[in-house]
Amino acid sequence: MTSNDHDAAFPVVRPRRLRRGTALRRLVSETRVLPENLILPMFVKEGLTEPVAISSMPGQVQHTRDSLRKAAREAAEAGVGGLMLFGIPEHKDSVGSQADDPDGVVQVALRDLASEVGDDIVVMADLCLCEYTDHGHCGPLETDGHVNNDLTLERYASIAAAQAEAGAAVVAPSGMMDGQVAAIRAGLDRAGHPGVPILAYAAKYASVFYGPFREAAEGAPRFGDRSGYQQDPANVRESLREVALDVAEGADMVMVKPGLAYLDVVAKVAESSPVPVSAYQVSGEYAMIEAAAEKGWLDRERAILETLTSYRRAGAEQILTYWATEAARLLR
């Protein structure tokens, strides 16, 4: 065999050269997840004296006021970028009146967190009514059982003002009502909070992957489902339209939810959005990985970091994940 024959038999281009060793792979990595990219969703329940474990989300709890403050401090010390607060009241009614009560569970918790960690982490409040209504839907109902969109907007504007007054640095409407961002922006401005940003759940799908969340937030619909206002999982152009509408109405950030089964949507939104794009690693994704890891079917920590990397690779600049504190520690 001649020298030329030998050269022709082997590749000239060798991408594997850049995969030789951990340090070299880290040096040329295209996508990085940082602790400050992560947002921790948290549940606080009125009337608890001890945290209550969420059976379908191992490792997660419904917090008391005290345990919420402790967990928030741990997240801030780990370098997590934000917290997203969900509240569970003791009493519910048809219009979710506890949602904007100054002494309601979320407003009390927001004041706690603003004073405890408000200088170190972005305290956000989910803005919806499903946890507060006795029927479990995201707004007041019409006589035929459908959510009354425009009456719901009035409730959302009031809730936004109450959350901002209590110390929320960001409000995050998740109800998928038409016009919700414009109504909330107007409500915040009227109440003297023009500097509070809106993170809009702009593309939120009617997904089966929310199942464990409904145990955690105690907000499952008493009848029907939410497909009349949340998006059809088959659609993507609709998401781009929803995002464009929310941005036009004043959204400062937008979100895609869920994430892992909708990474194509995350990527398309990230390509076109003029504002930061978040994605939510929802409860069903969390539960599946925890269950598979418990059975020894996959490496838990690698699965956590790989999925978070996939979100960033798709274009999400912030990721809501129940592993935020743990992942931040792993990333450091």
Side-chain angles (χ1 to χ4, degrees):
M1 181 182 292
T2 68
S3 175
N4 286 341
D5 289 337
H6 183 274
D7 291 343
F10 290 89
V12 175
V13 178
R14 293 181 179 269
R16 284 185 58 192
R17 292 188 188 114
L18 297 181
R19 301 174 196 153
R20 293 176 64 87
T22 301
L24 185 54
R25 289 193 297 272
R26 184 170 58 241
L27 179 69
V28 299
S29 177
E30 299 174 28
T31 304
R32 300 187 191 281
V33 183
L34 302 174
E36 53 264 38
N37 299 136
L38 306 178
I39 298 170
L40 176 65
M42 307 177 79
F43 305 98
V44 59
K45 184 172 179 178
E46 191 172 26
L48 292 184
T49 57
E50 296 290 337
V52 174
I54 301 166
S55 63
S56 56
M57 297 176 67
Q60 300 299 308
V61 301
Q62 294 173 325
H63 283 288
T64 67
R65 288 178 63 184
D66 287 342
S67 69
L68 182 77
R69 286 194 294 263
K70 181 175 183 292
R73 171 54 58 193
E74 290 173 353
E77 290 173 351
V80 172
L83 308 172
M84 183 66 76
L85 190 59
F86 297 86
I88 306 150
E90 285 190 285
H91 305 291
K92 305 187 180 193
D93 57 35
S94 63
V95 297
S97 58
Q98 289 295 300
D100 54 348
D101 186 331
D103 295 319
V105 58
V106 160
Q107 278 67 253
V108 170
L110 284 170
R111 289 192 289 271
D112 288 344
L113 295 183
S115 63
E116 181 79 18
V117 295
D119 293 334
D120 304 318
I121 197 168
V122 180
V123 178
M124 307 179 178
D126 178 82
L127 196 168
C128 197
L129 281 165
C130 55
E131 299 105 308
Y132 299 91
T133 54
D134 52 14
H135 46 73
H137 282 281
C138 297
L141 301 179
E142 298 174 348
T143 55
D144 62 3
H146 289 92
V147 173
N148 183 313
N149 190 95
D150 295 358
L151 184 56
T152 300
L153 299 187
E154 296 177 17
R155 296 288 298 121
Y156 285 4
S158 178
I159 296 165
Q163 291 177 341
E165 188 65 30
V170 176
V171 298
S174 58
M176 290 299 289
M177 296 296 128
D178 294 339
Q180 64 182 16
V181 172
I184 289 166
R185 183 72 273 156
L188 287 169
D189 293 352
R190 282 195 306 270
H193 299 288
V196 172
I198 298 172
L199 166 55
Y201 288 63
K204 182 178 179 181
Y205 287 86
S207 173
V208 71
F209 291 106
Y210 302 150
F213 174 92
R214 290 174 181 171
E215 176 195 352
E218 300 182 14
R222 300 296 182 190
F223 61 89
D225 58 28
R226 297 183 178 132
S227 57
Y229 40 102
Q230 295 177 356
Q231 288 181 237
D232 183 342
N235 294 351
V236 63
R237 287 195 303 271
E238 183 181 32
S239 285
L240 300 179
R241 185 185 186 203
E242 290 278 11
V243 168
L245 286 168
D246 280 1
V247 171
E249 290 178 17
D252 301 283
M253 306 162 69
V254 294
M255 187 196 302
V256 177
K257 181 182 180 180
L260 202 60
Y262 297 85
L263 290 178
D264 60 321
V265 181
V266 175
K268 287 181 180 294
V269 169
E271 286 172 4
S272 61
S273 173
V275 300
V277 176
S278 302
Y280 200 138
Q281 186 172 50
V282 298
S283 60
E285 300 171 44
Y286 177 95
M288 289 190 299
I289 289 175
E290 289 287 350
E294 190 275 330
K295 289 188 173 290
W297 293 343
L298 50 73
D299 182 307
R300 180 178 174 278
E301 290 185 358
R302 288 187 63 186
I304 292 169
L305 295 179
E306 186 173 335
T307 54
L308 293 176
T309 300
S310 76
Y311 278 76
R312 291 284 289 138
R313 192 180 64 242
E317 293 154 289
Q318 300 82 35
I319 307 164
L320 288 87
T321 176
Y322 299 99
W323 288 301
T325 301
E326 179 181 359
R329 291 168 177 158
L330 292 172
L331 291 165
R332 287 190 180 280

